[in-house]
Amino acid sequence: MKRLFFLAVLALLCALLCPGFAEEAPQAFTSGDYRYTLLPGGGAEITRYTGNAADLTVPAQLDGYSVRRIGDRAFSRCSSLASITLPEGLQSIGNYAFYRCISLSFISLPEGLQTIGADAFSSCNSLTSITLPEGLQNIGETAFYGCKSLASITLPEGLESIGDEAFSRCSSLTSITLPDGLQSIGDIAFYGCSSLTSITLPEGLKSIGNDAFNGCDNLELTVVRDSYAHRWAEENEYDYIFPDSYDWLLE
């Protein structure tokens, strides 16, 4: 009897002191080939796609609920998926959301997307180019890791950070333009991008992580004189030029 009383008191204390202890998992719903849950702030999060379409347009609503988030691993290992269009109103893409979608060669992302999670598109080996939309603020770590066919990518103004290893081992990447508002580049962000020959580092950049461009053997940086990027390039012994091709005459 005393044991039962002790266990009941313990359970009550856990419920009071650890509110999450007593919380139930979000209720799951199904709409066609999509499983989803409802978000606390309104809207739906796709938790899993169960179809096998090659060309897919994700609906803006499921059962009347606006799709706000693609959840972790929601489309991971969908090997038949070749192209996908994501809906307006989408705000975030979760970790590993499209991991190892090996046939995915085209993806359309809506304006207003704010965050791309870790490993979201890693090992999507058929992806050749992508344009990231206005409104995107952060690219998660290893987001495009190992996308071996990715040759060009357009980053939006307003992007603030590129996570660790975000484009690591994108060995076909030849062109990328960093926006003026970018503040940080993570560790090993462009490691092993052996085809990348030039990149312009914005004047307002405040942080470049360890070995950010290691393995980019043919890379030449363009930096603004006396900027953080200029000092970083000198300290780390990278080849660089100034935006004005005649600036060397002033030295």
Side-chain angles (χ1 to χ4, degrees):
M1 187 70 179
K2 289 183 179 180
R3 177 181 172 82
L4 291 175
F5 178 76
F6 173 77
L7 291 175
V9 171
L10 182 62
L12 179 61
L13 288 174
C14 286
L16 292 174
L17 298 177
C18 308
F21 180 82
E23 290 181 2
E24 296 181 358
Q27 185 177 357
F29 302 90
T30 300
S31 178
D33 291 330
Y34 301 95
R35 298 174 186 163
Y36 70 95
T37 58
L38 299 181
L39 296 168
E45 173 181 336
I46 294 175
T47 57
R48 189 63 188 169
Y49 172 68
T50 59
N52 58 4
D55 302 306
L56 183 65
T57 298
V58 177
Q61 293 187 337
L62 295 174
D63 299 329
Y65 299 102
S66 297
V67 174
R68 300 297 187 205
R69 175 176 165 82
I70 304 296
D72 296 350
R73 301 183 184 274
F75 291 85
S76 68
R77 299 182 184 272
C78 290
S79 59
S80 63
L81 189 62
S83 71
I84 188 169
T85 298
L86 299 180
E88 297 295 326
L90 185 70
Q91 297 175 348
S92 65
I93 295 175
N95 301 335
Y96 294 91
F98 295 90
Y99 171 72
R100 287 192 63 81
C101 290
I102 57 176
S103 300
L104 185 64
S105 61
F106 173 82
I107 185 164
S108 176
L109 303 175
E111 290 192 8
L113 181 67
Q114 297 173 9
T115 302
I116 294 176
D119 283 285
F121 297 96
S122 65
S123 299
C124 291
N125 293 334
S126 298
L127 192 63
T128 57
S129 66
I130 191 169
T131 298
L132 301 182
E134 295 297 326
L136 185 67
Q137 298 173 0
N138 304 292
I139 298 175
E141 60 185 33
T142 57
F144 294 90
Y145 178 92
C147 291
K148 297 178 180 180
S149 300
L150 187 63
S152 67
I153 187 165
T154 301
L155 302 180
E157 294 297 328
L159 183 69
E160 297 178 355
S161 66
I162 295 175
D164 296 348
E165 300 185 76
F167 298 99
S168 181
R169 298 190 182 277
C170 292
S171 55
S172 298
L173 186 64
T174 60
S175 172
I176 187 168
T177 300
L178 303 181
D180 290 339
L182 185 67
Q183 296 182 22
S184 66
I185 297 174
D187 296 344
I188 329 179
F190 294 93
Y191 172 80
C193 294
S194 54
S195 299
L196 192 61
T197 58
S198 65
I199 192 169
T200 298
L201 300 180
E203 184 176 7
L205 195 61
K206 298 178 181 178
S207 173
I208 300 176
N210 295 327
D211 298 318
F213 300 100
N214 194 19
C216 303
D217 297 332
N218 301 308
L219 181 63
E220 182 178 69
L221 304 175
T222 298
V223 299
V224 176
R225 184 183 289 274
D226 296 326
S227 65
Y228 168 82
H230 180 193
R231 297 190 299 273
W232 182 89
E234 285 193 333
E235 291 170 1
N236 290 274
E237 301 180 345
Y238 277 90
D239 293 333
Y240 66 88
I241 60 173
F242 299 120
D244 185 346
S245 60
Y246 296 100
D247 220 14
W248 61 273
L249 293 172
L250 301 175
E251 296 187 354

